[in-house]
Amino acid sequence: MTGVEIATVAERPELMGPAWEQTSDTFPEYNNHGDVLNHYWGRLTEERPEFQFHLVGDKGEILARVRSLPVRWDGTVADLPDGIDGAIARGFDHGEANALCALVIMVPRDLQGRGLSTHAFKAMLELARRHGLTRLIAPVRPSLKERYPLVPIERYGAWRRADGLLFDPWMRVHERLGGTVLKPEPRSLRITGTVDEWEEWTAMSFPESGEYWFPHGLATLAVDRDSDRAGYWEPNVWMQHVVSSP
Ligand SMILES: CC(C)(COP(=O)(O)OP(=O)(O)OC[C@H]1O[C@@H](n2cnc3c(N)ncnc32)[C@H](O)[C@@H]1OP(=O)(O)O)[C@@H](O)C(=O)NCCC(=O)NCCS
C-alpha cells in the first residue's frame, strides 16, 4: 500500500495518544475491562514497544492501531495458550518466545470496510519476519458472533458460506491471508465486575440473577445478584499463519 507508514511505538511513541483517540470507540465498553488483560495491557507499550504499531497514512492520519506480543509456543494445538488471557500472561511470564501472538487490530470507525485490516495484518506478519519469529498465532475475535451469542463457538467458528470461505468476516480476512483454524476457544477473555459495573458498561439493567444477552456480547453474561458479581467469557477462535522467509 503506497504512502502508508508502519510506525512502531518504539519508533514513534508520540502517536499513541492520537491513535487511542481515533480508535477508543471501536470496541464496546465492556471489552475494556478484562480481568487478566488489563493487568498486563500497559506493559505492552512499556516493555514490548517494538511489537506495538500504527499504520499511518500520507497525511499523518491513523489508519490502524495494532497490538501483538511474542510468546513461546511449540507448534501444537495442545500447547496453545488458554485464550488471549493465557497468551498475554505467557508472553510476559515465560521467556524464549518463538511465535508472534496477534492481540488486537483496531481500524477507526470511519475507515472500516476499506480493506485496511488486511494491510495491518500484513504489517504484523512483516514484523514477525523481521524479528525471526516463524509462526504467528491469533486468538481471533469473530466480529459477527455478536449476532449469534447463543450459538456455541465450536459451531459458529466452523460455519462456512456457500463459496466455501469462513462465515465470519474477520476470520475470513485471516483465511484469505493464509490463516488456518486451529481450535475454538470458548473461554478466551474473562471479564467480571459488580452488577452495577456491568449495568454501566452495557447500558442495561439486570434486575435478577440469571443468564443475559447484552448488546455486542459474543456470548451471554451470568449475573449473580446475591454475590453482586457478573461474569462473561469472550469466545475466540485460534488461527495460525506461517511467516514466510524474506
Ligand atoms: C475487525 C476490523 C479490524 C476489520 O477492519 P476493516 O479494515 O474494517 O476490515 P475490511 O475492510 O478488511 O473488511 C473485512 C471484512 O469485514 C467486513 N466488514 C467490515 N466492516 C464490517 C462491519 N462493520 N460489519 C460487518 N462486516 C464488516 C467486510 O465486508 C470484509 O468482509 P468480506 O470478506 O465480505 O470482504 C475493524 O472492523 C475493527 O477495528 N473492528 C473493531 C475492533 C475489532 O473487533 N478488531 C478485531 C478483533 S482484534
Side-chain angles (χ1 to χ4, degrees):
M1 201 181 179
T2 50
V4 173
E5 181 194 354
I6 302 165
T8 67
V9 168
E11 293 160 342
R12 296 192 61 189
E14 77 281 4
L15 292 177
M16 282 172 61
W20 185 83
E21 274 165 34
Q22 293 299 309
T23 58
S24 60
D25 64 347
T26 53
F27 275 103
E29 178 57 31
Y30 78 84
N31 260 133
N32 297 326
H33 302 277
D35 299 358
V36 176
L37 222 51
N38 284 27
H39 175 72
Y40 290 100
W41 202 256
R43 292 175 62 182
L44 290 170
T45 48
E46 285 161 19
E47 298 176 31
R48 304 283 196 279
E50 66 276 32
F51 292 100
Q52 322 311 324
F53 69 90
H54 303 109
L55 279 194
V56 189
D58 54 10
K59 296 180 187 66
E61 72 278 25
I62 299 294
L63 304 178
R65 177 167 166 237
V66 183
R67 297 288 177 266
S68 63
L69 181 67
V71 297
R72 175 193 54 70
W73 180 51
D74 74 6
T76 65
V77 170
D79 189 49
L80 280 170
D82 292 329
I84 194 167
D85 286 353
I88 200 163
R90 188 182 292 187
F92 284 111
D93 298 342
H94 303 277
E96 296 177 44
N98 59 338
L100 189 61
C101 183
L103 294 175
V104 74
I105 293 180
M106 287 166 268
V107 173
R109 273 184 191 278
D110 56 339
L111 300 178
Q112 289 180 7
R114 302 181 191 183
L116 283 169
S117 65
T118 295
H119 296 288
F121 199 80
K122 283 183 179 170
M124 201 191 295
L125 284 165
E126 171 56 28
L127 204 62
R129 195 176 298 126
R130 226 187 275 167
H131 288 269
L133 302 165
T134 52
R135 291 193 178 97
L136 192 151
I137 50 174
V140 178
R141 180 180 190 273
S143 48
L144 218 54
K145 176 79 169 71
E146 64 176 41
R147 304 213 193 142
Y148 304 89
L150 305 181
V151 177
I153 191 69
E154 290 83 349
R155 299 190 64 76
Y156 178 88
W159 284 357
R160 289 190 176 274
R161 307 192 304 192
D163 64 3
L165 290 171
L166 285 162
F167 173 82
D168 185 81
W170 185 222
M171 290 177 66
R172 211 157 54 232
V173 170
H174 283 266
E175 186 172 49
R176 285 203 181 102
L177 287 165
T180 51
V181 172
L182 291 176
K183 76 159 185 175
E185 186 74 88
R187 295 182 160 203
S188 191
L189 165 61
R190 183 64 171 157
I191 304 174
T192 56
T194 64
V195 177
D196 275 356
E197 284 173 332
W198 268 99
E199 288 187 337
E200 191 192 321
W201 299 340
T202 58
M204 275 180 77
S205 294
F206 304 112
E208 58 182 69
S209 296
E211 203 75 24
Y212 287 87
W213 168 92
F214 63 97
H216 309 296
L218 308 195
T220 55
L221 175 71
V223 174
D224 181 4
R225 291 213 69 104
D226 293 337
S227 62
D228 190 24
R229 300 302 293 168
Y232 164 79
W233 275 109
E234 183 139 290
N236 285 168
V237 177
W238 276 110
M239 295 184 75
Q240 174 188 10
H241 293 257
V242 175
V243 180
S244 58
S245 316

